[in-house]
Amino acid sequence: MHVVMFGDQHVETLGGAQVSMRLQRRFLEKAGHTVTVVAPRVHGPRGRSFSPDAAYLDIPSIPITPDREYSMSWPGRRTDRWVDAALAGRPAVDVVHVQADFWGAFIGHRFAARHQLPVVHTMHNRVDVGIEATTPFPKTVLRVLNGWQSWALAPHGKRRDGWAYLRGLAAKSDAVTAPSTHFARRLEEHGVVPRDAVPRVDVVWNGIDDGVLDSVLASAGSDRRPGPPRFVWLGRMSPEKRLLPFLEALAASGVRAEVEVIGGGGQLRAAQRLVERLRPAASVVFAGKLPYARVLERIADADAVVQTSIGFETQGMTIFEAASLGTPSIVSDPDLAAELGSGFWPVAADATAAASTAALAAALRAAAADIEAGTPVAVDPTIRERFRQSSRTAAMIEIYERVVGS
């Protein structure tokens, strides 16, 4: 098959969806398929640093961030003509896989409609939650997005919120996939289902590179390294990830542990100041951004990964990476805990900020006590194989074949 993927951002830029698309492309090619990735061209030094790759079609674009890392391409007739011309000399397209929420989604769906091609749409994000977390006037932004979608793709009922926006994209799709069961069920509850088909959303986890996983497992020791409990927090340092509440809970817990914070973002300095002010019993090291393989090594060496966001993640990759490496987690989001199944210390849910901090502190104490006693919670051993990208690609190929056949 020739699979054409459409993204909002070039897959060589930073971001979870981009990492997933790169991995999917590689494993689809390993399975004998052809992949073309259509996304906005990157500008500046970042764009010039990429090696030429025949699989990438870089649409003319404009930069939208000060560092020129991210770009957008306008989904209109000029872009339609450019995409058609760029794909004209390639093998006939069998299926369109849209892995975008905004302009990339519009461009991909317009291409599929022009050429009467089946569409698989992967929903990577809770658009309503994401926009509320990142924009000052989320309701206005959602109204504008819904209007833009109506202009780009055709009207689809009265639309004002994030669920209506996603329904409009799903209505143009022959299959809709989500990276977790809880997100898939939530999409179904809000009518975000494919057109003219059984109203269901297929669950296909974002996976982990088989080779990297095996390499880290081979280098990891079988015995725990001596020392106090070791916790790792990793992710983007922004409010929805709840790094600051974690550091407050860590200080309140009184646990003596080694804590490594991996990642970067706007709250880095605030986090460092908070540690200086609260002086937790645990030592806290801010490791910054690390290469992916090194991050996995740090997870494998840890006693637990700490997951703190609530209601934001559509999958929660870090706790699945941890489980694949045999490392349990402390999990704040009950949806992610249910998805993981076992191998975690739960954080009791509560509506108030003070109670939430106390609950996280209690979970940290419970985890530290179990680790020191040599009785940590046991990770589900089946996750390692179910999370490999090879198995995830096989599941996606089944969906491609289904929509092509229908």
Side-chain angles (χ1 to χ4, degrees):
M1 282 186 291
H2 181 192
V3 180
V4 178
M5 296 182 180
F6 286 82
D8 283 323
Q9 297 300 331
H10 197 287
V11 296
E12 296 295 340
T13 58
L14 299 174
Q18 295 93 300
V19 170
S20 177
M21 289 172 71
R22 289 201 304 268
L23 200 54
Q24 291 173 48
R25 174 235 170 152
R26 190 152 59 81
F27 276 77
L28 281 167
E29 290 177 343
K30 280 186 175 183
H33 302 285
T34 300
V35 179
T36 300
V37 183
V38 183
R41 181 171 68 88
V42 183
H43 298 259
R46 178 73 170 172
R48 292 192 293 272
S49 70
F50 302 155
S51 301
D53 192 318
Y56 296 159
L57 291 184
D58 299 347
I59 313 172
S61 66
I62 58 172
I64 57 173
T65 54
D67 61 1
R68 302 168 78 84
E69 172 89 12
Y70 303 112
S71 309
M72 74 161 289
S73 298
W74 186 259
R77 291 180 181 176
R78 179 178 296 179
T79 297
D80 292 344
R81 290 192 295 269
W82 190 96
V83 172
D84 286 349
L87 284 167
R90 299 188 176 219
V93 178
D94 294 290
V95 62
V96 170
H97 190 169
V98 175
Q99 305 205 52
D101 300 298
F102 306 110
W103 46 87
F106 302 162
I107 294 166
H109 281 290
R110 286 167 70 100
F111 173 79
R114 287 194 306 278
H115 299 279
Q116 298 183 309
L117 292 165
V119 182
V120 176
H121 192 126
T122 294
M123 300 287 178
H124 282 286
N125 297 303
R126 277 280 305 269
V127 169
D128 55 342
V129 175
I131 287 176
E132 185 173 355
T134 56
T135 63
F137 304 104
K139 290 183 179 179
T140 301
V141 172
L142 285 169
R143 282 197 295 269
V144 170
L145 281 174
N146 276 296
W148 191 17
Q149 186 188 111
S150 292
W151 171 84
L153 298 182
H156 181 66
K158 187 176 182 180
R159 297 179 288 181
R160 293 178 181 272
D161 64 9
W163 293 116
Y165 180 82
L166 294 179
R167 281 196 295 273
L169 297 175
K172 305 292 182 183
S173 307
D174 299 282
V176 173
T177 77
S180 65
T181 301
H182 75 268
F183 187 40
R185 300 295 86 85
R186 191 162 284 140
L187 290 167
E188 291 171 349
E189 289 166 4
H190 288 86
V192 184
V193 293
R195 61 188 174 193
D196 302 328
V198 177
R200 74 159 188 241
V201 175
D202 292 288
V203 179
V204 182
W205 290 351
N206 294 325
I208 188 170
D209 186 302
D210 295 37
V212 174
L213 173 61
D214 289 337
S215 175
V216 174
L217 287 170
S219 63
S222 58
D223 297 324
R224 180 184 181 274
R225 180 164 55 86
R230 290 184 292 278
F231 298 138
V232 170
W233 185 101
L234 60 155
R236 182 175 62 254
M237 296 179 185
S238 52
E240 71 278 3
K241 297 292 187 177
R242 301 182 69 244
L243 170 60
L244 302 186
F246 162 60
L247 295 173
E248 291 171 351
L250 179 67
S253 73
V255 299
R256 296 187 178 278
E258 295 176 358
V259 177
E260 187 170 31
V261 178
I262 300 173
Q267 289 193 320
L268 172 59
R269 188 67 193 112
Q272 292 170 328
R273 287 197 299 267
L274 189 61
V275 171
E276 292 169 1
R277 179 169 62 84
L278 296 178
R279 297 185 179 278
S283 64
V284 180
V285 174
F286 291 89
K289 297 178 182 178
L290 299 176
Y292 183 60
R294 181 74 186 281
V295 170
L296 295 182
E297 290 171 0
R298 303 307 301 144
I299 292 174
D301 186 55
D303 293 306
V305 163
V306 184
Q307 183 277 322
T308 48
S309 65
I310 301 174
F312 183 79
E313 311 293 342
T314 57
Q315 181 179 7
M317 287 283 287
T318 57
I319 59 175
F320 286 91
E321 290 163 337
S324 297
L325 294 163
T327 301
S329 298
I330 297 167
V331 183
S332 298
D333 191 320
D335 284 336
L336 301 187
E339 190 85 12
L340 197 58
S342 64
F344 62 90
W345 291 273
V347 177
D350 200 285
T352 66
S356 177
T357 300
L360 180 52
L364 289 166
R365 283 193 293 269
D370 288 346
I371 292 162
E372 289 174 334
T375 57
V377 293
V379 171
D380 180 354
T382 70
I383 286 181
R384 179 175 298 167
E385 298 308 313
R386 291 189 288 138
F387 194 53
R388 288 180 180 272
Q389 184 58 44
S390 54
S391 73
R392 301 304 82 221
T393 295
M396 189 62 77
I397 289 171
E398 289 183 6
I399 296 171
Y400 291 160
E401 292 173 341
R402 187 180 81 216
V403 300
V404 170
S406 64

